[in-house]
């Protein structure tokens, strides 16, 4: 079987891919990169990810970058873990919506709020519209729970859930009952706990 290697800096956005790998349950290696030493800007890493960012995942000869793409890839590549909604299933459209909503709406809504623009952009110009609408849409989707897709935990919960959880941790998202309960459900997942413990050990 092809080897899975995660190019990771602990902790960072690549911690989301680390959590996903723990959910998948296949063996993987970690190649740790130090931002302080500029290892993400070294020529051999830039050849793999010209953005100079983590995560990157190598699976055999395939290199995948971008958190959401990595999570989508792993869920489809290892369907035995039941973290995807397969092609041909009606709910796949909604599943894909959430996989794109994470990096397309939640993340920019949160980072724009943390580092506001000098001039506020028009709502129509922003793909996420505005922060409150974005958060309200996620809150409504998880209100019933337990997961975005209902009873099935999927890669979409890793992608969107990580932003909600870390956003609250870093006080960029205000707690509200739906988010607090969702974050608690995530924190109770053994895979999330294993990933966190690994990250702590790697960062330490
Ligand atoms: N769009 C990328 C963002 C990745 C990203 O920004 N990673 C940060 C870590 S949190 C990084 O590598 N920063 C180092 C740098 O930009 O020099 C993704 O979703 O994977």
């Amino acid at each position: 079987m092809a080897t899975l290697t995660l190019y990771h800096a602990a902790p960072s956005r690549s911690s989301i891919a680390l959590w996903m790998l723990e959910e998948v349950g296949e063996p993987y290696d970690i190649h740790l990169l130090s931002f302080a030493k500029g290892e993400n800007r070294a020529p051999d890493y830039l050849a793999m990810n010209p953005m100079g960012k983590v995560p990157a995942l190598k699976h055999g000869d395939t290199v995948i970058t971008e958190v959401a793409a990595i999570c989508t890839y792993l869920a489809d590549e290892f369907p035995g873990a039941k973290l995807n909604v397969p092609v041909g299933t009606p709910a796949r459209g909604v599943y894909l919506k959430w996989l794109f909503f994470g990096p397309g709406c939640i993340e920019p809504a949160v980072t724009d709020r943390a580092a506001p623009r000098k001039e506020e952009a028009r709502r129509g110009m922003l793909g996420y519209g505005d922060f409150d609408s974005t958060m309200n849409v996620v809150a409504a989707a998880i209100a019933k729970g337990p997961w975005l897709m209902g009873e099935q935990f999927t890669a979409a919960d890793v992608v969107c859930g990580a932003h909600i959880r870390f956003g609250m941790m870093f006080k960029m998202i205000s707690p509200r009952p739906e988010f607090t309960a969702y974050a608690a459900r995530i924190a109770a997942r053994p895979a999330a706990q294993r990933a966190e413990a690994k990250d702590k050990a790697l960062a330490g």
Side-chain angles (χ1 to χ4, degrees):
M1 197 191 284
T3 310
L4 286 163
T5 304
L6 176 67
Y7 291 78
H8 176 47
S12 74
R13 282 177 177 88
S14 55
S15 306
I16 307 171
L18 178 66
W19 171 25
M20 182 65 188
L21 281 161
E22 286 295 329
E23 293 283 353
V24 167
E26 295 289 327
Y28 63 91
D29 299 325
I30 292 179
H31 183 118
L32 208 56
L33 294 172
S34 158
F35 292 152
K37 291 185 188 153
E39 288 169 355
N40 56 315
R41 309 291 316 170
D44 55 341
Y45 187 68
L46 287 177
M48 202 159 47
N49 185 0
M51 295 294 285
K53 286 188 171 281
V54 294
L57 180 76
K58 203 159 181 230
H59 186 208
D61 293 331
T62 305
V63 174
I64 312 114
T65 61
E66 298 298 316
V67 170
I70 290 170
C71 293
T72 307
Y73 175 88
L74 286 171
D76 285 339
E77 197 70 12
F78 300 100
K82 300 212 177 323
L83 296 164
N84 73 341
V85 177
V87 172
T89 311
R92 181 158 167 101
V94 177
Y95 166 68
L96 289 177
K97 185 275 288 286
W98 288 120
L99 285 168
F100 284 75
F101 200 82
C105 295
I106 304 175
E107 186 176 359
V110 171
T111 47
D112 276 0
R113 171 162 277 208
R117 296 157 204 258
K118 271 193 187 146
E119 266 180 52
E120 210 172 307
R122 278 182 297 109
R123 188 185 191 284
M125 261 179 74
L126 298 171
Y128 64 87
D130 61 77
F131 182 86
D132 289 340
S133 305
T134 303
M135 294 303 140
N136 290 343
V137 165
V138 181
I142 52 172
K144 184 162 173 273
W147 308 114
L148 282 169
M149 296 303 295
E151 289 303 317
Q152 187 193 358
F153 176 89
T154 68
D157 291 297
V158 176
V159 170
C160 296
H163 287 307
I164 297 297
R165 195 171 170 221
F166 296 130
M168 279 200 299
M169 242 179 233
F170 294 109
K171 309 218 176 311
M172 295 190 293
I173 297 178
S174 311
R176 53 201 279 178
E178 300 91 334
F179 291 168
T180 307
Y182 185 52
R185 288 194 288 275
I186 289 172
R189 292 186 70 79
Q193 291 170 2
R194 285 195 301 273
E196 237 174 279
K198 276 194 182 180
D199 235 8
K200 272 200 188 121
L202 289 168

